[in-house]
């Protein structure tokens, strides 16, 4: 039985091909830190700590917590350590730091057992999909560029489109009206408001969303809005809604799920952690909700874990939010499949992330 032999942190900075925009603002860079574990037989497990304030604590807080945790990891049995973390989602560690530990131990444990990480996450999973559907991401603030984004994705074979809204009433209306005309009736269009609307604003914009035949509205209301208000607006508007940022508070997320105040959950394992995401996914499935899994402009280590999570917890046939990976440049992690033509292929043995040669070289010079 192997043990963790060493633990080190590898900071990274990712550039985006174009600035990401949403109702909370925008960014063109993502910073994080990889947890690099080596076991006593030489296997490597990578975890990704990729905070995204205000959804999570800031990077410096997460890094300090992760550094302290990394010092305690040598000597740990990866299998026992992973299962212990998965059994207790509540922790004093910030969620992105905990996610990094869960991922790194999980990859080591999966290698030792000779199974994909997904099977480790959900031992009762029966069939591993060979491909996951992926939605296009339309996040440009400019109307013309947003429409051009959608056009490029459509030309590449994408049929499900997620459009960032809450970027101005005129912009949102122009994009949604024109997008439906350009994509035609067969395209599935979802929107993500990132909590931009008050209950009154959501009710006001609902006719436009119905006219544009929007399939799903992600996080229309702020995370603090009570579940009863979500349920009321869901019933009054007749629109399908999904919870995302509200899930960062596990108790509040569970309340939304159990109250059937939403139709779907959007889980970001890099931001919530694997254990917390699994807990919410199981509750959502029991309530009959759609489970969508999404990336968060993280490194390939976080993306690989999210892909494995989606393979076992994602709803069959749904399109997941992994187009974020297409926006990332300078990724220090290699060996992870990327979306293409509206989907992403899953290796049968699991997608094992590894430090890219350039990243290893930079570490050697550090």
């Amino acid at each position: 039985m192997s043990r963790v032999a060493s633990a080190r942190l590898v900071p990274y900075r990712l550039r985006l091909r174009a600035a990401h925009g949403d109702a909370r603002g925008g960014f063109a860079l993502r910073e994080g830190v990889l947890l690099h574990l080596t076991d006593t037989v030489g296997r490597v497990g990578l975890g990704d700590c990729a905070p995204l304030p205000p959804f999570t604590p800031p990077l410096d807080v997460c890094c300090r917590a992760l550094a302290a945790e990394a010092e305690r990891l040598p000597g740990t049995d990866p299998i026992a350590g992973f299962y212990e973390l998965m059994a207790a989602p509540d922790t004093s560690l910030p969620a992105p730091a905990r996610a990094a530990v869960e991922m790194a131990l999980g990859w080591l444990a999966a290698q030792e057992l000779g199974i994909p990480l997904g099977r480790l996450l959900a031992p009762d999973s029966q069939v591993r999909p060979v491909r996951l559907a992926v939605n296009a991401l339309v996040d440009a603030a400019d109307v013309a560029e947003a429409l051009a984004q959608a056009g490029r994705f459509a030309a590449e074979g994408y049929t499900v489109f997620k459009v960032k809204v809450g970027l101005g009433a005129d912009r949102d209306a122009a994009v949604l009206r024109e997008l439906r005309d350009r994509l035609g009736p067969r395209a599935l269009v979802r929107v993500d408001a990132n909590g931009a609307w008050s209950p009154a604003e959501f009710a006001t914009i609902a006719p436009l969303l119905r006219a544009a035949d929007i399939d799903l509205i992600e996080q229309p209301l702020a995370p603090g809005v009570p579940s009863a208000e979500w349920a009321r607006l869901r019933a009054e508007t007749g629109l399908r809604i999904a919870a995302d940022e509200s899930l960062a508070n596990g108790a509040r997320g569970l309340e939304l799920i159990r109250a059937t105040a939403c139709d779907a959950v959007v889980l970001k394992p890099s931001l919530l952690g694997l254990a917390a995401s699994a807990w919410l996914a199981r509750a959502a499935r029991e309530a009959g909700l759609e489970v969508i899994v999404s990336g968060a402009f993280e490194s390939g280590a976080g993306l690989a874990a999210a892909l494995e999570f989606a393979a076992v917890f994602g709803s069959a046939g749904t399109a997941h939010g992994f187009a974020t990976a297409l926006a990332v440049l300078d990724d220090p992690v290699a060996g992870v499949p990327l979306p293409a033509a509206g989907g992403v292929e899953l290796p049968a043995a699991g997608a094992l992330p590894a430090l890219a040669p350039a990243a290893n070289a930079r570490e050697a010079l550090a």
Side-chain angles (χ1 to χ4, degrees), residues 14 59 103 151 155 206 219 225 231 233 283 298 303 314 341 344 357:
L14 307 176
L59 179 62
M103 291 176 196
Q219 196 67 37
V225 174
L233 287 165
E298 65 274 88
L303 173 65
V344 60

Side-chain angles (χ1 to χ4, degrees), residues 8-33:
R8 62 189 175 99
L9 303 186
V10 183
Y12 67 79
R13 173 178 286 190
L14 307 176
R15 291 179 297 136
L16 302 188
R17 295 180 188 278
H20 168 73
D22 62 36
R24 298 164 301 190
F27 53 85
L29 289 172
R30 282 284 277 128
E31 292 184 295
V33 61

Side-chain angles (χ1 to χ4, degrees), residues 127-356:
V127 179
R128 179 179 174 85
V130 298
R131 187 176 188 269
L132 297 172
V134 174
N135 63 250
L137 177 62
V138 179
D139 61 354
D142 178 73
V143 173
E145 179 51 33
L147 295 172
Q149 275 184 322
R152 289 192 293 270
F153 276 114
E156 293 168 9
Y158 287 79
T159 59
V160 182
F161 298 80
K162 174 174 166 178
V163 182
K164 290 290 184 176
V165 292
L167 299 175
D170 291 342
R171 178 266 184 194
D172 292 349
V175 168
L176 294 180
R177 289 188 180 116
E178 185 68 23
L179 198 59
R180 177 52 72 192
D181 289 342
R182 293 192 183 193
L183 296 176
R186 293 186 178 181
L188 205 64
V189 179
R190 298 171 171 175
V191 299
D192 183 2
N194 293 106
W197 299 324
S198 68
E201 288 169 332
F202 181 30
T204 298
I205 201 170
L208 170 64
L209 299 174
R210 286 194 297 269
D213 193 23
I214 300 302
D215 172 65
L216 185 71
I217 297 90
E218 183 177 333
Q219 196 67 37
L221 307 172
V225 174
S227 59
E229 192 73 348
W230 282 66
R232 179 183 70 82
L233 287 165
R234 175 174 175 260
E236 290 181 0
T237 63
L239 294 166
R240 292 199 330 126
I241 61 177
D244 177 358
E245 284 89 342
S246 291
L247 304 176
N249 180 312
R252 184 173 293 134
L254 192 60
E255 181 183 330
L256 280 171
I257 291 168
R258 289 177 174 169
T260 321
C262 57
D263 300 270
V265 294
V266 180
L267 300 173
K268 296 182 173 81
S270 292
L271 304 183
L272 296 171
L274 293 174
S277 295
W279 179 59
L280 289 166
R282 290 190 178 97
R285 291 202 301 197
E286 289 174 5
L289 307 186
E290 183 180 3
V291 177
I292 302 167
V293 184
S294 179
F297 300 96
E298 65 274 88
S299 80
L303 173 65
L307 290 172
E308 289 293 315
F309 187 93
V312 293
F313 287 115
S315 292
T318 197
H320 299 286
F322 297 127
T324 53
L326 299 175
V328 168
L329 299 170
D330 307 321
D331 193 342
V333 177
V336 183
L338 294 176
V344 60
E345 307 294 328
L346 291 179
L352 182 63
L355 274 182

